[in-house]
């Protein structure tokens, strides 16, 4: 029966500069099953070229090749892949085993490409390795075997899918004569079992054991003779399976049907690339360390970014109660919002309350703001704040002697008082224990503001200062010291303002901690003003409303921006703002809220820049992965050629390389997380020791993001190398030394 027919085949290689080289001229020959054919000829005569055509590795020829009933010229790329996988087996001179895979994995590669189960693979491989005399070497790696053993493995690999045609290109060329004889015996046995074995050789001695010798010279067949001495050996042929598969059954059975449908599974691709990665551990670990540094820093930057945000919002939350609405009026000039405290006189106060209540009613919220008793929710309370930039010569003096009310002999501290602030309902007094400042005054549970007489100086006088007061007292505890504060208001002929009292507490929570701010109880301050005869200029600059819930706080806060301002800075009624013009004033939340949002914006800018910087380092990582994977493709050209010769599709090759980049990403992500934990610990220790503050907070999903980023970067960088690998020409890859 004809196994292989070749009619009028010409092969022309395209060279550079449109030149060509004809390697085969009008080849006409056919072969039958059971033949052991030697193709002989000098080096360069075209033997390998012919083998590549027969093996379906090269389909760029004219003429026709019909192998086992298939016209190779008419097969699509996919069908050619299947042809290589199932119909032909290749044996090479240099064995071409994949060094990082075990003998078992090398032999079963074609089955792996068909997604055959592990059990079946082992069973088949054992059987075939038994036939070539290597049954006990499954777990070894190729470099643990001798040359002859390697070639046996290569033969086993070629036989695993039970192909009809075996092509062996100088199978004994790299072996000593004794070993060569053993290999030839195996090939003969295979031929005797009914396969067609075509082997290329330039040794006459090797040729003499075959059943037929075809001689090629300069691309032409110049001789074709049968060997009359050749004897088929039917006795105890290990490759024959007659007793298992009767002839009829073998033909009627739908043959090897699994092979056509199944392809390399993703898991198998990952397993294959894992073996490869393990084979070049150092390279992969070094590369992953590089990427890990980028990933680790990215997480650190994200932690910094959220750490700073958390720090600020914690600070904000520690002194602003989520259930208090703070209302103030600001002019809309750029700095006006921060330097001015405009008074809200009674008419305006009533107007604001009305406007808020109107909107609460519209929104069906069962809550109203009222002016009434002090303890009920919804009541207004007042605050008076003033930046002393408008004041001349604000001076704080203090004395150790409480009876000395003159202060002339006392220390004079001429540091500027930056801010006078009435104690809002959510401030409390810090306590001083063991000479150390206590931590932040905390809000009471569920947000009830601290407004107990023992917690803040209500009505009874006394000042609280921001923490900056410590610098003035040389880190000595200032609480209890008598202090005199005096200002002269610039440009206005007002009598000297004097207040003498004790420091009753320290406010260490606000953003003003670092500047000297004085906190005075509203009623007390009002009394001081009245004492001076200034009651007319004293009106609240902020209104506080306590609400039953944070959501109502937010609601009212959102109303504030909608309420048109009807009074100017002096409390006189404004003419309505013309259409399309920016109103001159607006109602806003407290200055802390505004500073808070300013800081939050600032941090998000800082945070974003940090993340952008680490993204650049990730770009470097990506380039590194690309280079390494690209080099890996060059290194593994031969392996890719082998994979193609046993029927790997482009998709399979791509899948193997893509899995490799996935694994690189996974490893890098994992190492990046570990690197980050170490890095963060070091940075945290440094910062806490140096500045006593390490604004680093983790979010659980940062690790997930880092992992995803690592994998995505690695896979993106791997795209190009993978597609390059998939596109490699198998003939050229195999030719590569
Ligand atoms: P053999 O296997 O008999 O030693 P080959 O089939 O490898 O010879 O090569 C036959 C001829 O074709 C040689 O002259 C070789 O230089 C040429 N040849 C082989 N491959 C290519 C190729 N890819 N491009 C151009 N010429 C080639
Ligand atoms: Mg050759």
């Amino acid at each position: 029966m004809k196994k292989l027919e070749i009619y009028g085949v010409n092969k022309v290689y395209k060279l550079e500069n449109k030149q060509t080289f004809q390697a085969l001229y009008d080849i006409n020959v056919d072969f039958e099953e059971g033949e052991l054919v030697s193709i002989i000829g000098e080096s360069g005569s075209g033997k390998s070229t012919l083998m590549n055509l027969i093996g379906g590795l090269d389909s760029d020829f004219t003429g026709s090749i019909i192998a086992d009933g298939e016209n190779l010229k008419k097969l699509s790329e996919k069908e050619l892949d299947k042809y290589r996988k199932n119909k032909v087996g290749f044996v090479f001179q240099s064995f071409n085993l994949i060094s990082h895979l075990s003998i078992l994995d090398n032999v079963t590669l074609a089955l792996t490409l068909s997604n055959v189960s592990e059990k079946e693979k082992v069973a088949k491989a054992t059987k075939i390795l038994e036939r070539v005399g290597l049954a006990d070497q499954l777990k070894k790696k190729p470099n643990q075997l001798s040359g002859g053993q390697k070639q046996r493995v290569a033969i086993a690999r070629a036989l695993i899918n039970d192909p009809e045609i075996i092509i062996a290109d100088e199978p004994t060329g790299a072996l000593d004569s004794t070993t060569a004889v053993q290999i030839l015996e195996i090939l003969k046995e295979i031929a005797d079992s009914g396969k067609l074995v075509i082997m290329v050789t330039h040794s006459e001695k090797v040729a003499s054991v075959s059943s037929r010798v075809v001689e090629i010279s300069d691309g032409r067949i110049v001789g074709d003779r049968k060997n009359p001495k050749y004897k088929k050996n039917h006795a105890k042929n290990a490759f024959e399976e007659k007793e298992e598969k009767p002839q009829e059954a073998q033909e009627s059975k739908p043959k090897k049907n699994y092979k056509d449908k199944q392809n390399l599974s993703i898991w198998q691709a990952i397993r294959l690339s894992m073996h490869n990665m393990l084979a070049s551990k150092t390279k992969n670990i070094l590369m992953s360390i590089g990427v890990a540094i980028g990933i680790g820093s990215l997480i650190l930057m994200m932690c910094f970014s959220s750490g700073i945000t958390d720090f600020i919002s914690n600070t904000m939350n520690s002194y602003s109660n989520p259930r208090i609405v703070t209302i103030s009026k600001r002019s809309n000039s750029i700095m006006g919002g921060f330097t001015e405290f405009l008074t809200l006189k009674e008419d305006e106060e009533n107007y604001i309350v009305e406007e808020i209540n109107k909107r609460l009613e519209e929104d069906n919220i069962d809550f109203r703001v009222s002016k009434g008793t002090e303890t009920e929710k919804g009541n207004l309370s007042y605050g008076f704040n003033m930046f002393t930039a408008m004041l001349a010569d604000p001076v704080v003096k203090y004395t150790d002697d409480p009876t000395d009310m003159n202060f002339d002999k006392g220390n004079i501290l001429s540091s500027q008082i930056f801010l006078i602030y009435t104690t809002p309902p959510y401030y409390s007094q810090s306590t001083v224990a063991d000479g150390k400042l206590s931590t932040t005054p905390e809000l009471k549970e569920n947000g009830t503001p601290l407004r107990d007489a023992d917690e803040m100086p209500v009505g009874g006088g006394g000042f609280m200062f921001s923490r900056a007061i410590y610098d003035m007292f040389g880190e000595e505890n200032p609480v209890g010291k008598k202090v005199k504060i005096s200002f002269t208001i610039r440009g206005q002929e007002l009598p000297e303002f004097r207040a003498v009292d004790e420091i009753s507490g320290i406010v260490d929570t606000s953003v003003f901690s670092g500047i000297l701010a004085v906190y005075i109880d509203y009623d007390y301050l009002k009394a001081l003003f009245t004492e001076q005869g200034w009651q007319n200029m004293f009106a609240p600059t902020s209104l506080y409303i306590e609400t039953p819930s944070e959501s109502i706080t937010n609601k009212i806060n959102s109303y504030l921006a909608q309420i048109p301002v009807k009074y100017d800075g002096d409390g006189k009624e404004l003419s309505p703002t013309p259409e399309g013009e920016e109103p001159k004033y607006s109602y806003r939340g407290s200055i802390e809220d505004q500073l808070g949002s300013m800081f939050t914006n600032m941090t998000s800018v800082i945070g974003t820049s940090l993340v952008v910087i680490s993204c650049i380092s990730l770009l470097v990582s990506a380039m590194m992965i690309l280079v390494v994977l690209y080099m890996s493709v060059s290194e593994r050209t031969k392996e890719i050629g082998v994979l193609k010769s046993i029927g790997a599709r482009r998709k399979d090759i791509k899948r193997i390389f893509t899995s490799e980049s996935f694994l690189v990403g996974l490893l890098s992500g994992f190492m990046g997380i570990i690197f980050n934990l170490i890095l963060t610990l070091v940075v945290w220790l440094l910062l806490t020791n140096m500045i006593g503050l390490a604004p680093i907070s983790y979010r659980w999903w940062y690790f997930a993001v880092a992992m995803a980023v690592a994998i995505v970067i690695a896979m993106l960088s791997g795209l190009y190398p993978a597609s390059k690998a998939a596109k490699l020409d198998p003939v050229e890859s195999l030719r590569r030394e």
Side-chain angles (χ1 to χ4, degrees):
M1 200 174 108
K2 294 250 165 56
K3 270 270 140 96
L4 180 65
E5 298 155 81
I6 299 174
Y7 302 114
V9 164
N10 287 282
K11 166 70 196 177
V12 177
Y13 283 111
K14 291 184 183 67
L15 305 176
E16 280 161 44
N17 303 326
K18 291 188 179 157
Q19 291 191 302
T20 55
F21 175 80
Q22 183 153 7
L24 292 177
Y25 293 88
D26 191 32
I27 305 291
N28 286 290
V29 64
D30 49 49
F31 305 97
E32 283 179 24
E33 60 175 39
E35 281 191 290
L36 174 62
V37 185
S38 278
I39 309 273
I40 62 165
E42 284 178 7
S43 184
S45 55
K47 307 181 295 291
S48 296
T49 302
L50 183 60
M51 292 304 105
N52 290 336
L53 297 185
I54 296 171
L57 284 174
D58 182 357
S59 47
D60 178 24
F61 61 91
T62 57
S64 55
I65 299 177
I66 292 152
D68 201 32
E70 312 250 33
N71 187 341
L72 296 195
K73 200 77 216 174
K74 295 209 170 114
L75 298 184
S76 66
E77 192 183 315
K78 257 190 190 166
E79 289 167 326
L80 261 179
D81 290 337
K82 272 182 209 156
Y83 167 76
R84 285 198 300 268
K85 207 193 275 184
N86 302 321
K87 295 269 171 95
V88 280
F90 272 96
V91 178
F92 305 92
Q93 174 177 3
S94 48
F95 325 125
N96 286 350
L97 299 178
I98 295 171
S99 59
H100 56 81
L101 295 182
S102 68
I103 301 310
L104 174 70
D105 285 333
N106 264 287
V107 169
T108 55
L109 213 44
L111 299 177
T112 306
L113 291 174
S114 296
N115 199 20
V116 171
S117 77
E118 201 60 34
K119 212 175 132 197
E120 193 178 341
K121 285 201 291 194
V122 174
K124 283 198 157 196
T126 316
K127 208 158 153 194
I128 285 179
L129 282 168
E130 227 164 63
R131 288 173 191 163
V132 296
L134 282 177
D136 47 352
Q137 317 275 355
L138 258 60
K139 292 263 144 30
K140 281 193 182 169
K141 288 278 166 73
N143 61 8
Q144 292 168 312
L145 301 182
S146 72
Q149 285 176 315
K150 281 185 198 167
Q151 199 59 300
R152 287 160 197 250
V153 174
I155 292 172
R157 179 178 65 190
L159 289 176
I160 194 80
N161 257 341
D162 196 21
E164 299 306 313
I165 303 168
I166 308 292
I167 294 166
D169 196 345
E170 307 205 29
T172 57
L175 303 175
D176 63 76
S177 53
T178 344
T179 322
V181 168
Q182 292 167 356
I183 294 299
L184 284 173
E185 270 167 15
I186 292 175
L187 290 173
K188 180 173 184 301
E189 228 177 306
I190 295 166
D192 290 351
S193 76
K195 312 266 177 203
L196 168 60
V197 178
I198 304 176
M199 72 178 162
V200 167
T201 178
H202 46 225
S203 147
E204 279 291 347
K205 201 175 154 215
V206 171
S208 67
V209 303
S210 51
S211 69
R212 180 174 166 190
V213 178
V214 173
E215 196 178 339
I216 296 191
S217 175
D218 289 334
R220 291 178 176 86
I221 294 187
V222 294
D224 187 349
R225 58 191 141 83
K226 293 242 156 90
N227 181 357
K229 281 190 237 155
Y230 185 82
K231 261 215 198 86
K232 230 177 170 164
N233 184 3
H234 282 290
K236 60 176 184 79
N237 188 324
F239 296 95
E240 250 169 339
E241 295 179 74
K242 276 190 182 135
E243 63 280 25
E244 287 166 51
K245 286 186 193 170
Q247 197 72 22
E248 293 107 305
Q250 201 175 349
E251 267 160 32
S252 60
K253 222 160 74 182
K255 217 175 157 191
K256 307 163 187 167
N257 54 353
Y258 63 88
K259 288 174 184 168
D260 295 345
K261 291 185 189 94
Q262 300 286 299
N263 289 312
L264 176 69
S265 73
I266 286 172
W267 286 116
Q268 288 299 336
I270 288 178
R271 199 178 66 91
L272 287 178
S273 33
M274 189 108 82
H275 279 298
N276 179 57
M277 282 181 71
L278 285 175
S280 36
K281 261 188 243 118
T282 324
K283 181 184 82 180
N284 283 304
I285 288 176
L286 286 178
M287 168 172 63
S288 300
I289 288 176
V291 183
I293 291 173
I295 295 288
S297 330
L298 174 76
I299 309 178
L300 181 65
M301 294 308 154
M302 297 199 290
C303 290
F304 262 132
S305 171
S306 54
I308 294 169
T309 313
D310 283 0
F311 172 73
I312 287 174
S313 78
N314 284 343
T315 311
M316 295 289 162
N317 285 338
S318 67
Y319 67 86
S320 83
N321 185 325
R323 279 170 43 199
I324 301 264
V325 179
T326 309
I327 304 166
S328 59
K329 182 170 67 174
R330 310 266 181 235
S331 82
N332 285 333
S333 64
I334 291 170
M335 276 316 285
F338 294 110
T339 57
E340 292 167 330
F341 288 96
L342 303 177
T343 52
L344 302 163
K345 297 197 172 125
E346 208 173 341
D347 288 348
E348 188 160 11
E349 183 188 316
N350 292 334
Y351 164 71
I352 294 170
V353 170
E354 247 171 62
E355 290 288 320
I356 292 174
N357 283 342
K358 201 170 78 190
R359 285 172 171 79
L360 286 168
E361 196 173 347
E362 275 167 17
D363 284 353
N364 287 322
I365 296 170
D366 184 24
F367 169 74
R368 298 290 176 273
V369 182
S370 64
K371 295 167 72 178
T373 48
E374 275 208 4
T375 49
E376 256 172 59
K377 285 191 173 61
N379 286 338
L380 279 187
S381 55
Y382 306 112
F384 179 86
N385 313 307
M386 177 161 64
F387 270 115
T388 52
M390 298 122 81
L391 304 174
D393 308 324
V395 166
V396 176
K397 296 174 179 182
Y398 89 100
T399 178
D400 286 332
D401 178 4
T403 58
D404 175 16
M405 297 305 285
N406 191 359
F407 288 96
D408 289 341
K409 286 176 279 171
N411 298 322
I412 297 169
L413 301 156
S414 56
S415 307
Q416 186 133 5
I417 299 172
F418 203 70
L419 186 78
I420 300 177
Y421 218 110
T422 56
T423 325
Y426 46 78
Y427 274 26
S428 74
Q429 175 183 345
S430 286
T431 54
V432 176
D434 304 329
K436 275 186 217 142
L437 197 72
S438 79
T439 48
T440 322
E442 277 151 18
L443 291 169
K444 277 191 178 164
E445 267 175 49
N446 60 33
T448 307
L450 301 164
R451 204 185 164 112
D452 298 310
D454 59 335
E455 285 172 322
M456 51 184 293
V458 179
F463 307 119
M464 295 210 288
F465 276 88
S466 57
R467 196 192 195 283
I469 192 88
Y470 269 80
D471 297 334
M472 298 175 50
F473 285 84
E475 307 253 325
E476 186 188 337
N477 185 358
V479 173
K481 293 268 159 61
K482 279 240 168 192
V483 183
K484 177 178 79 174
I485 302 172
S486 67
F487 320 99
T488 316
I489 294 186
R490 185 185 291 151
Q492 293 197 41
E493 287 179 31
L494 293 167
E496 198 189 10
F497 170 90
R498 276 169 168 269
V500 182
D501 217 317
E502 304 196 332
I503 297 176
S504 57
I506 304 297
V507 174
D508 187 30
T509 58
S510 100
V511 284
F512 305 125
S513 284
I515 58 172
L516 194 60
V518 193
Y519 298 80
I520 306 172
D521 176 68
Y522 184 83
D523 295 333
Y524 178 58
L525 189 64
K526 190 176 180 182
L528 286 175
F529 266 71
T530 313
E531 205 174 282
Q532 299 288 327
W534 295 356
Q535 55 271 46
N536 286 342
M537 65 166 282
F538 192 82
T541 57
S542 21
L543 304 176
Y544 302 107
I545 302 165
E546 194 196 342
T547 69
S549 73
E550 206 177 327
S551 67
I552 294 184
T553 306
N554 294 338
K555 260 283 185 262
I556 297 180
N557 270 325
S558 73
Y559 298 155
L560 287 179
Q562 304 162 6
I563 301 176
V565 179
K566 236 169 82 178
Y567 300 86
D568 71 4
D570 299 322
K572 288 194 203 94
E573 245 185 273
L574 284 166
S575 46
T577 315
E579 194 70 34
E581 239 175 70
E582 184 80 358
K584 212 167 157 222
Y585 299 97
S586 55
Y587 296 118
R588 302 195 195 163
S590 71
I591 186 140
E592 289 89 350
D593 292 346
Q594 292 173 48
L595 284 177
S597 66
M598 189 176 82
F599 277 122
T600 311
N601 289 341
M602 221 158 70
T603 23
S604 68
V605 169
I606 295 171
T608 315
S609 337
L610 292 179
V611 170
V612 166
I613 292 170
S614 22
C615 283
I616 294 173
S617 84
L618 288 180
L619 209 65
V620 176
S621 313
M623 286 307 293
M624 192 164 60
I625 300 177
L626 193 132
V627 169
V628 172
L629 289 180
Y630 189 85
M631 272 161 49
S632 160
V633 171
S634 313
E635 275 167 24
R636 291 163 71 192
T637 307
K638 198 106 188 206
E639 180 184 331
I640 294 163
V642 172
L643 282 166
K644 289 213 163 167
S645 77
I646 60 172
R649 304 165 303 158
R650 282 186 182 201
K651 211 172 162 184
D652 298 331
I653 307 271
K654 209 176 225 168
R655 196 167 270 183
I656 292 173
F657 277 84
T658 310
S659 327
E660 192 159 330
S661 16
F662 170 77
L663 289 178
V664 166
L666 205 67
L667 182 64
S668 307
F670 185 69
M671 295 197 356
I673 288 169
I674 292 177
F675 174 73
N676 168 263
L677 292 173
I678 298 168
L679 185 68
T680 306
L681 182 69
V682 171
V683 170
W684 186 85
L685 284 174
L686 279 177
L687 285 180
T688 34
N689 281 322
M690 279 160 52
I691 62 169
L693 170 79
I696 294 173
S697 5
Y698 278 97
R699 307 273 190 270
W700 68 267
W701 50 268
Y702 283 179
F703 294 120
V705 166
M707 206 48 154
V709 165
I711 291 173
V712 166
I713 280 187
M715 291 189 74
L716 282 179
S717 324
L719 278 183
Y720 175 61
S723 86
K724 184 175 157 76
K727 281 187 197 138
L728 281 182
D729 174 21
V731 174
E732 273 183 37
S733 325
L734 286 168
R735 196 177 280 276
R736 190 80 68 90
E737 280 318 308

